[in-house]
Amino acid sequence: MLAAGAGRRYGRPKVLVEGWLQTAVDALRGGGCADVVVVLGAAQVPAPVGAVAVPVPRWEDGLSASVRTGLEQAGRIGADYAVLHVVDTPDVGAAVVARVLGRAIASPSGLARAVFGDRPGHPVVIARRHWPEVLSSVSGDRGAGAYLRTRHDVEVVDCADLAGGQDVDEP
């Protein structure tokens, strides 16, 4: 769960918005994730039940620092897949996570991304074998999307029937 940003456009870190963090953790747990790692930076909050909080060193460096920290923690706990999700898509629930995770596990590539109509969104699922390349491709505010755009084997999973998937950037 990527939740380290300052939320400048929102006016405060989005992890502080009442209910969003718990909603996102519940979506991941209910969608099939055995372990949930909450990556924190601009604001430090207690991890909800069912999750572990991990601080991002140098969170100010952008999304890449969060992705790096999350994947490194996933490696330490022995995960086979990483489900990258963000705190600011509160309408994305367990059904979306389950659909995207299921497609990634069933795919030879081990890669899947939620789309909502014609708009890519979260969650994104990445099999462990891709993590070194993802880590080498992230920088600044460029996350895993840079790597996914180089691939032709990413499962595109339409979830518009389940959620809108919009990032909420303004209160």
Side-chain angles (χ1 to χ4, degrees):
M1 167 59 48
L2 305 178
R8 287 178 189 88
R9 289 174 296 201
Y10 196 83
R12 64 182 168 144
K14 295 176 191 177
V15 72
L16 298 176
V17 176
E18 182 69 33
W20 282 9
L21 180 58
Q22 187 66 59
T23 296
V25 169
D26 290 347
L28 290 167
R29 297 288 292 175
C33 297
D35 298 292
V36 176
V37 175
V38 178
V39 179
L40 298 170
Q44 298 297 315
V45 297
V49 173
V52 173
V54 178
V56 178
R58 300 183 51 90
W59 63 267
E60 306 91 343
D61 289 349
L63 182 59
S64 62
S66 295
V67 171
R68 185 173 310 285
T69 298
L71 289 180
E72 288 170 352
Q73 181 64 24
R76 282 192 282 280
I77 62 176
D80 294 323
Y81 292 86
V83 179
L84 302 181
H85 190 34
V86 292
V87 74
D88 62 351
T89 55
D91 74 329
V92 171
V96 172
V97 174
R99 184 180 288 177
V100 178
L101 180 57
R103 284 282 292 279
I105 291 170
S107 170
S109 72
L111 298 168
R113 169 171 228 157
V115 296
F116 302 90
D118 61 351
R119 190 177 36 77
H122 288 89
V124 170
V125 181
I126 304 170
R128 184 183 190 105
R129 67 182 171 275
H130 297 281
W131 298 354
E133 291 177 85
V134 170
L135 290 171
S136 70
S137 72
V138 298
S139 77
D141 267 333
R142 286 185 16 193
Y147 174 73
L148 296 175
R149 284 189 291 277
T150 68
R151 306 287 304 200
H152 301 289
D153 55 356
V154 177
E155 296 287 330
V156 176
V157 185
D158 190 3
C159 297
D161 62 318
L162 300 173
Q166 291 91 358
D167 292 349
V168 179
D169 288 330
E170 298 176 358

